[in-house]
Every structure is written in C-alpha cells, then in structure tokens.
Amino acid sequence: MKNGEMKLLYEGKAKKIYESSLDEVIIYFKDDVTAFNGEKKDSIIGKGKINKKVTIFFFKMLEEKGIPTHMISDIDENSFLAKKVEIIPLEVIVRNYTAGSFCKRYGIEKGIKLEKPIVEYSLKNDDLGDPMICRNVVLSLRLVKENVLNKLEYYALKINNILSNFLEEKNIILVDYKLEFGISNNKVYLADEISPDTCRFWDKDTMESLDKDVYREDKGDLIDKYSEFVRRINI
Ligand code: UDP
C-alpha cells in the first residue's frame, strides 16, 4: 500500500484514516502514543501493529457474536479496510473495576469490583478534554436519537460480556475500556479500535497492567507488556 498516493481523510493521535473508495476507508495504526489529552507523547516502534492485530482479533470475535463492526478485511501489518461510517461524537466507556478518572472523580481507590458494569459517555472534543456527558444531555442536545443511544448501551454491555468472559479464561481482568460507534445507512456499527491503548487489562494474579497505563504511569516497557497481552490471548 502506498499511503502517499491515497487521500488522507483524517489524522488522529494514534491513527490515520485514508479514503479507499466512496464508501470504504483504510484505518492505519500509527506508532505514536499520547496520554493526558496529548500532554505526554512519544513514538514507540511496533505499537501500531500490535494494536491493529488486537483490534481485528476482537472485531472478528464480536462480529461472529452478532455485533456489527465497520471492519471489512485485513490489509497489512498496520492497516485494515473498513466501511466508511459517520462517527458518533461520543466515547462510550464501560467499567467493571474502579480505575483512572473514575477514581479521581469520586475519590476512591483503584481495583474495586463494581456491583454491576457501568456505561458512561464522554463528548468527543479534544479542546474541552472530552468532558463526561449524561444520557439526558446527549438526548437534549440531539447528539444522537434515543433508539441509537439505547443501541450503544446494549452493544456496550453485550461486548462487555463477550470480552470479559474471553479474557477471564486467559486470567486477565477487563477493568474498563472505551468504544466508538459510527452510523452508515441508519445502521450502528462498532468502529475505531479495541486495543491495549483503549482498554485496561490487568493480570488477575498480580494486578499488573498490560495496557497503556504502563506508558501513562511509566511502569515499564510498553511493547513488552503489549506483547505479553498478545501472547496471553494467543494471537
Ligand atoms: N479511554 C480511551 N480514550 C480516551 C479516554 C479513555 O481509550 O480518550 C479508555 C482508557 O484507556 C480506559 C477507559 O477508557 O481504558 C477509561 O478511561 P478513564 O475515563 O478512566 O480515563 P483515563 O484514566 O484514561 O484518563
């Protein structure tokens, strides 16, 4: 693939989106890594290809279990082909254990198992630092229709069951994660990525992070931990 010849539609912090045809895009996973809304950034060779590998593995698994995803096919080490969707401007966050901003917000310690999974929403807006937004505000601002919002929540919780059960067998805790969805022809698709950049994965015995917290908190070599995650899930 010659990226130089393709039209770049969008460049984010960790991915580039190229136009492939009228209704298809190429998602290219970069080696760049950022944290704290872009305040900390680096390029870590090999990160993009791990995240792409993990994403297509999980997207395939979810698609087989009835979650529509925008992925069409694998292309190469760093990219996959996807249906062009209009991204819903919400980050859908699911939490099973306390961690990250949730602990800060409520002044609680990390690692507490929640009574039941929580689905939260953030408004995708880098300038505002992706503020949390509740269902009522989403609906009042007409960001999405109620039936779509209900579907996001339904998919988010179904994905939670599928991924938590799969990871449990690998002795890994799915602590929390972020999902993005898109719409094409009025149908909702899971989009973006599911990777150690967008999830918290803890080893069940040691509670050691196998995700981006390694980078956020300078807890060791990111590629080592991401590779260990890949090994543990056998991909
Ligand atoms: N997350 C993400 N992108 C974001 C914000 C959060 O992928 O812009 C993921 C993050 O990796 C974690 C989960 O969503 O798995 C919950 O993150 P949290 O709200 O605790 O924020 P953080 O601690 O990452 O600032």
Side-chain angles (χ1 to χ4, degrees):
M1 182 181 65
K2 299 193 184 95
N3 289 351
E5 291 166 11
M6 285 182 308
K7 186 177 166 201
L8 181 65
L9 294 178
Y10 173 80
E11 177 158 8
K13 289 187 280 249
K15 290 186 295 298
K16 290 182 187 176
I17 315 293
Y18 294 95
E19 185 160 61
S20 174
S21 64
L22 262 186
D23 51 6
E24 292 176 357
V25 292
I26 289 166
I27 318 266
Y28 177 87
F29 287 70
K30 304 196 289 182
D31 283 338
D32 297 352
V33 56
T34 65
F36 313 117
N37 205 18
E39 270 171 50
K40 180 175 177 179
K41 48 179 153 186
D42 285 282
S43 182
I44 301 181
I45 295 166
K47 192 208 68 148
K49 88 178 182 201
I50 296 179
N51 284 348
K52 191 229 66 168
K53 196 174 180 183
V54 174
T55 296
I56 62 165
F57 174 74
F58 282 140
F59 277 19
K60 266 188 203 150
M61 173 188 289
L62 293 170
E63 190 83 54
E64 280 163 15
K65 294 188 187 283
I67 309 280
T69 78
H70 74 154
M71 190 181 71
I72 297 169
S73 59
D74 200 2
I75 298 181
D76 60 23
E77 279 201 323
N78 285 71
S79 8
F80 68 79
L81 186 68
K83 182 189 279 294
K84 192 189 270 186
V85 294
E86 196 183 323
I87 294 288
I88 295 169
L90 295 176
E91 297 196 332
V92 180
I93 291 169
V94 183
R95 301 180 187 276
N96 294 305
Y97 283 73
T98 60
S101 69
F102 189 85
C103 291
K104 275 208 199 109
R105 192 179 325 131
Y106 299 117
I108 41 173
E109 68 182 273
K110 96 173 195 186
I112 302 168
K113 188 175 195 313
L114 295 162
E115 182 65 28
K116 58 179 197 168
I118 296 171
V119 180
E120 291 176 345
Y121 303 95
S122 296
L123 181 65
K124 267 172 71 74
N125 184 322
D126 278 342
D127 295 337
L128 299 176
D130 298 338
M132 255 192 90
I133 187 164
C134 71
R135 262 187 82 90
N136 292 335
V137 178
V138 170
L139 295 174
S140 298
L141 292 178
R142 299 185 186 86
L143 296 178
V144 298
K145 295 202 182 93
E146 191 162 12
N147 64 324
V148 173
L149 192 57
N150 289 343
K151 193 158 255 180
L152 299 188
E153 182 158 336
Y154 170 76
Y155 282 155
L157 290 171
K158 188 167 170 186
I159 291 167
N160 197 42
N161 278 333
I162 297 168
L163 297 186
S164 297
N165 290 340
F166 169 78
L167 291 168
E168 165 103 55
E169 282 173 22
K170 314 286 175 194
N171 212 36
I172 292 169
I173 297 176
L174 179 60
V175 176
D176 59 23
Y177 56 95
K178 184 259 313 183
L179 302 170
E180 294 190 25
F181 293 89
I183 296 189
S184 169
N185 290 324
N186 291 318
K187 185 173 167 184
V188 175
Y189 293 87
L190 175 65
D192 194 51
E193 67 178 294
I194 298 184
S195 74
D197 267 15
T198 61
C199 304
R200 286 193 171 93
F201 301 122
W202 292 351
D203 177 280
K204 203 174 170 188
D205 297 328
T206 63
M207 298 305 232
E208 177 195 27
S209 297
L210 302 171
D211 56 58
K212 203 165 98 176
D213 274 349
V214 172
Y215 175 74
R216 291 190 189 95
E217 300 169 17
D218 291 313
K219 290 194 288 196
D221 186 85
L222 178 137
I223 296 295
D224 274 1
K225 303 294 177 194
Y226 281 31
S227 303
E228 187 187 333
F229 179 74
V230 166
R231 266 197 309 277
R232 294 271 290 270
I233 63 170
N234 296 318
I235 59 169

